[in-house]
Amino acid sequence: MTFDQNIRTFAANLVSYGASEVASKASRLLVVIVVARTLDLIEVGIAAAAMAAADILKSLTENGVVQRIIAAKDRELEATCATAHRIFWVWCVSLFVLQVAVAGVLYAMGSSTTLAFLVLILGAEFLFMPAGLVQVALAMRAGKLKQTAAITGTQVVGANLMAAAVVFIWPSAIALLLPRLLSAPIWLVAVRRLHPWSRDTSAGFASLRPFFVYGRSVLGTELVKAIRLQADKIVVGLTLGGEALGLYFMAFNAGLSLSNAFTMAFATVLFPTLSRSTDQAQALRHSICIALCLITPIIVLQALAAPIYVPILLGPDWAHISGIVSILCLVAIPTTVWTATAGWLRANNRPEVELMVTVALALATVANTFVFAPYGLSAVATGYACVTTVIFLIAAWPGMRAAFFPNLVQEV
């Protein structure tokens, strides 16, 4: 495949994953609209707390094993898949047990019974994952990103539509999150049909050490990233109470949900593209240009239109959060720039650098929330946007230098 074909394929895959993510986030926005009109802020706060705990634990499934399959040499592929399959089963069952334990601890400490039950429900998702993760990785390796995008989008959209319908009929935090579990079998059946795989017993198993060395940094990065994305909500809940947490949760979903959809799609598509490319600098440069040209006008338009669509979608009582939504929308632009460098680091077996940046950002955003929470949610959101932009742009310089000044990299 020529370079021009690679770029066209990248652009097509990016549009496919972008459409899938946007559809997913748009359907989630529908849930937010229904929630805003049916649940009180305390119920929203309970659901937000359960989702925060579940998302932090779910980030542990991003342990770098999928990337090892995508990047494996052909002669090592079957052995790599066999080892990965074992890792997925042990890992996901362990995470289910851990989430059950978290639910038990929450209940024992006198927390809301509903919260403990929600954490338990969301933990059952882990039991559906290991039987399909090797197939997903192989499908992405084979270039079936449009199909994997469609499957993921269908699962999430289906879950969100079910949640919107159920919450409208039965307004409760349980009804809001139960469809996430009910939609998991849809994903499992679809990915197993997309790229069937069974273990070749003659190939044996690959060594665990490369999985461990590479995966520990990827795992650390994803865990810290999840903690960063949820920690500010926990701080808001602890310092300002359940109602403020519900309000903050709504603002973040309306502001970051659609804008972050594109950056998530970019991250998913970029790694396979860089892994297959014979000229990473050129591939990275073109990928960044395509991504920024697509996302920047959309994000700016979304930010400018927030005062119009927030009260229309959520109701006039929510009009006062439109300023927060506008601020949070713009974070997607520096996030896209950093995502390019993060993908480049992973493709070059340097995920530990991404981990250090993610830790620094997590500490900075949590500190921002502690400092500015007494001054209101607008101050927290503004500080969040400023801190994130500064750290991401500074951290992205090595990737930008490799993409746009490759001769300078060689001289150094």
Side-chain angles (χ1 to χ4, degrees):
M1 186 179 288
T2 65
F3 178 76
D4 288 341
Q5 289 174 321
N6 279 332
I7 289 300
R8 283 196 294 271
T9 301
F10 170 80
N13 289 335
L14 181 57
V15 169
S16 296
Y17 255 97
S20 173
E21 289 289 346
V22 168
S24 300
K25 296 302 184 289
S27 65
R28 185 168 185 174
L29 188 58
L30 174 63
V31 177
V32 171
I33 294 169
V34 174
V35 165
R37 298 174 184 272
T38 56
L39 297 185
D40 60 42
L41 285 175
I42 296 297
E43 286 282 340
V44 176
I46 290 173
M51 290 175 70
D55 286 347
I56 289 172
L57 286 174
K58 195 168 185 178
S59 69
L60 295 175
T61 61
E62 299 291 338
N63 53 16
V65 177
V66 167
Q67 286 89 344
R68 295 298 304 175
I69 294 174
I70 293 172
K73 294 179 174 141
D74 289 341
R75 66 178 182 274
E76 300 170 350
L77 181 58
E78 281 302 324
T80 300
C81 288
T83 300
H85 189 244
R86 283 189 171 182
I87 293 173
F88 285 140
W89 271 107
V90 172
W91 197 255
C92 290
V93 171
S94 299
L95 289 177
F96 170 70
V97 173
L98 177 60
Q99 191 144 332
V100 171
V102 169
V105 169
L106 288 172
Y107 181 77
M109 291 177 63
S111 194
S112 164
T113 303
T114 302
L115 176 59
F117 184 61
L118 288 175
V119 172
L120 180 62
I121 287 175
L122 293 175
E125 279 188 278
F126 291 124
L127 300 180
F128 291 93
M129 297 177 69
L133 287 173
V134 171
Q135 288 84 344
V136 169
L138 288 173
M140 295 177 71
R141 177 188 172 93
K144 299 179 182 178
L145 276 79
K146 292 180 183 178
Q147 295 91 324
T148 55
I151 291 169
T152 302
T154 299
Q155 181 204 0
V156 177
V157 170
N160 287 335
L161 291 178
M162 279 193 287
V166 174
V167 168
F168 191 77
I169 299 169
W170 177 33
S172 69
I174 294 175
L176 179 61
L177 299 185
L178 184 59
R180 281 182 55 168
L181 174 61
L182 299 179
S183 67
I186 299 173
W187 171 86
L188 179 58
V189 171
V191 296
R192 288 177 68 87
R193 288 184 176 180
L194 173 64
H195 199 105
W197 172 83
S198 59
R199 185 191 155 209
D200 181 357
T201 55
S202 64
F205 294 92
S207 172
L208 282 172
R209 179 173 175 76
F211 287 92
F212 174 74
V213 173
Y214 182 85
R216 61 188 176 188
S217 295
V218 174
L219 179 62
T221 296
E222 296 298 332
L223 176 60
V224 174
K225 187 188 300 183
I227 292 173
R228 172 178 67 81
L229 292 173
Q230 306 301 335
D232 54 344
K233 299 179 184 65
I234 295 172
V235 173
V236 167
L238 291 174
T239 58
L240 300 180
E243 289 193 9
L245 174 58
L247 185 64
Y248 194 61
F249 173 77
M250 298 292 283
F252 257 76
N253 271 279
L256 283 177
S257 190
L258 286 176
S259 59
N260 272 354
F262 192 90
T263 58
M264 292 172 65
F266 181 46
T268 302
V269 174
L270 182 62
F271 182 83
T273 300
L274 294 180
S275 296
R276 293 194 303 265
S277 177
T278 55
D279 187 343
Q280 277 197 357
Q282 194 176 31
L284 181 60
R285 181 168 61 253
H286 283 78
S287 299
I288 293 169
C289 291
I290 291 171
L292 287 178
C293 287
L294 286 173
I295 193 174
T296 303
I298 297 172
I299 295 307
V300 172
L301 180 62
Q302 185 189 352
L304 293 174
I308 299 172
Y309 69 77
V310 168
I312 292 174
L313 294 178
L314 303 184
D317 292 342
W318 296 89
H320 62 289
I321 72 169
S322 59
I324 301 175
V325 173
S326 296
I327 293 168
L328 294 174
C329 287
L330 298 174
V331 176
I333 296 174
T335 301
T336 300
V337 177
W338 162 243
T339 298
T341 294
W344 173 73
L345 289 168
R346 289 193 184 190
N348 286 277
N349 290 312
R350 296 172 58 196
E352 69 281 353
V353 179
E354 183 188 3
L355 173 58
M356 289 188 290
V357 173
T358 307
V359 169
L361 182 63
L363 294 175
T365 53
V366 171
N368 166 79
T369 307
F370 269 114
V371 171
F372 289 106
Y375 302 98
L377 298 181
S378 294
V380 173
T382 302
Y384 177 92
C386 292
V387 167
T388 301
T389 299
V390 170
I391 291 179
F392 274 170
L393 293 182
I394 292 173
W397 168 241
M400 299 303 100
R401 184 175 60 184
F404 295 97
F405 308 102
N407 292 332
L408 180 61
V409 175
Q410 292 173 1
E411 291 173 5
V412 175

